[in-house]
Amino acid sequence: MNTRSVVIGCGHYLPSRIVENSEFEATLDTNDEWIRSRSGIERRHFAADHENTSQMATAAAQAALDDAGLGADDVDAIILATSTPDLTFPSAATMVQAQLGMTRGFAFDVQAVCAGFVFALANANALILSGQVSRVLVIGSETFSRIMDWTDRSTCVLFGDGAGAVLLEAQTGEGTAQDRGILSTDLNSDGRHRELLYVDGGTSTGTVGYLRMQGNQVFRHAVGKLAATATTAMERAGVTAGDVDWIVPHQANIRIIQGTANKLNLPMSQVVVTVQDHGNTSAASIPLALSVGRDRGQIKQDDLLVMEAIGGGLAWGAVVLRW
Ligand code: UT7
């Protein structure tokens, strides 16, 4: 018998403002055809001035709690993956804790940029397997619109805002790949590549800064590293591509998503794709895809999922989970 971290609820929040690709044509030397063909993105949501990362995270977390039929004080911990916290500190997770009305347990942020949700899931799983907690809210929430240089067409058309959350619960499994819950995780980073994707602000500048990316260089790393981490995680879980029902990838670029699925020998009909509607929402992209994929009727109980993501650091990883 093994302890497993099982998803018992999920939810998401998207700001109401939707911006189509064509809207950028008024201010930038770009067009819908370039954005669509190079990235697969057609539109994205942007937070309103009064919305921020913790509020969106709270809305997604509340939806996950409602989905599970539980209250905030039934939860032992909150782990929030974000690179765009409301303030440098306290953590956005503690703000979510207060906004949910949760008066016990603990909360902290994880910062691994676009791989943040995978890192947060692995941390939550480790806390559950060590017996320290029984229920953990794992959230990805981002307001990347706040760190965009609106004069840089190579980045500002790619990102969006939103939040997604899952509620994990310790349950007992048989110790086989048939168990529901997290079956394996694989985390990686290589700080030598930090100049490929970073924000040029922080305590060293006294400003929040803007996102800077050498997109084609990140692209060059992405497919190989994503396929490798997904393969490692599948081997650890004792499953093969033939066992997988859904790839739930980080939603940065449809060409990266297709290339990775191809390397893993899985058809696009088994990939949850939301990049066309959300753009790249960094740490929020996988939990958004989980929740939307579930709502669409794609992801069903007992389906075997492989999640994979890469982003700034570089940091990348994968999680194999039976829903
Ligand atoms: O989520 C974190 C990880 N991030 C990613 O995974 C992003 C990975 N990278 C990508 O998704 C792609 O590299 C991009 C979508 C960012 C760019 O696509 P690309 O095919 O790699 O294009 P490129 O950067 O090589 O640029 C090609 C051309 C350039 O012009 P020249 O030098 O060929 O004349 C760019 O200046 O496209 C130009 N360009 C644009 N043209 C119209 C760049 N941005 C735009 C734009 N509109 N918005």
Side-chain angles (χ1 to χ4, degrees):
M1 303 291 256
N2 278 40
T3 302
R4 297 291 193 189
S5 308
V6 177
V7 175
I8 60 165
C10 78
H12 69 272
Y13 176 82
L14 286 161
S16 59
R17 184 174 167 223
I18 297 173
V19 173
E20 302 287 337
N21 288 346
S22 55
E23 284 195 40
F24 290 100
E25 293 173 9
T27 53
L28 289 170
D29 179 16
T30 190
N31 56 73
D32 174 53
E33 159 61 20
W34 189 95
I35 301 169
R36 204 181 276 253
S37 62
R38 295 296 179 119
S39 72
I41 298 164
E42 297 172 24
R43 60 193 64 82
R44 72 289 290 141
H45 294 247
F46 283 148
D49 288 345
H50 62 84
E51 287 177 309
N52 54 36
T53 293
S54 73
Q55 289 165 341
M56 295 196 301
T58 301
Q62 187 61 57
L65 286 171
D66 293 345
D67 188 38
L70 293 172
D73 277 338
D74 296 318
V75 175
D76 303 311
I78 297 171
I79 304 180
L80 172 52
T82 188
S83 302
T84 48
D86 304 5
L87 299 171
T88 302
F89 76 78
S91 68
T94 54
M95 298 182 185
V96 173
Q97 185 187 26
Q99 288 164 17
L100 287 174
M102 178 177 162
T103 56
R104 56 182 295 277
F106 59 92
F108 63 96
D109 290 355
V110 161
Q111 208 272 50
V113 204
C114 297
F117 186 73
V118 163
F119 277 64
L121 275 182
N123 275 280
N125 187 47
L127 284 168
I128 286 175
L129 297 192
S130 69
Q132 294 179 71
V133 298
S134 297
R135 292 200 192 103
V136 188
L137 270 169
V138 186
I139 312 166
S141 183
E142 302 278 19
T143 40
F144 263 50
S145 62
R146 303 270 159 79
I147 52 167
M148 287 298 114
D149 174 353
W150 298 109
T151 65
D152 177 8
R153 68 176 182 173
S154 72
T155 54
C156 73
V157 301
L158 301 174
F159 293 88
D161 301 335
V166 298
L167 179 57
L168 294 178
E169 181 181 71
Q171 293 187 5
T172 303
E174 299 293 325
T176 72
Q178 297 309 311
D179 290 348
R180 290 185 64 208
I182 293 176
L183 301 179
S184 68
T185 61
D186 181 58
L187 304 182
N188 310 268
S189 60
D190 185 344
R192 290 174 299 176
H193 299 302
R194 72 170 190 176
E195 77 287 355
L196 300 186
L197 177 49
Y198 65 100
V199 171
D200 62 2
T203 54
S204 56
T205 62
T207 60
V208 174
Y210 296 119
L211 181 145
R212 305 295 178 199
M213 178 167 74
Q214 296 177 41
N216 48 12
Q217 299 299 319
V218 177
F219 197 114
R220 209 171 278 177
H221 285 276
V223 173
K225 285 183 163 56
L226 289 170
T229 186
T231 301
T232 300
M234 286 194 288
E235 282 167 7
R236 268 181 206 154
V239 300
T240 63
D243 301 315
V244 171
D245 294 295
W246 294 103
I247 305 179
V248 188
H250 171 49
Q251 311 281 327
N253 187 313
I254 192 66
R255 293 184 292 141
I256 294 174
I257 293 171
Q258 286 163 340
T260 308
N262 195 34
K263 255 197 144 95
L264 295 172
N265 280 319
L266 280 159
M268 284 303 288
S269 57
Q270 283 178 246
V271 184
V272 178
V273 180
T274 56
V275 67
Q276 70 281 6
D277 294 326
H278 300 167
N280 183 346
T281 58
S282 191
S285 89
I286 289 180
L288 270 167
L290 287 173
S291 182
V292 168
R294 195 274 308 261
D295 291 352
R296 282 179 188 158
Q298 292 178 305
I299 299 172
K300 295 189 273 303
Q301 187 169 319
D302 294 318
D303 280 355
L304 189 69
L305 274 46
V306 177
M307 296 167 249
E308 31 91 343
I310 187 166
L314 297 173
W316 67 102
V319 172
V320 175
L321 176 144
R322 193 174 294 284
W323 191 255

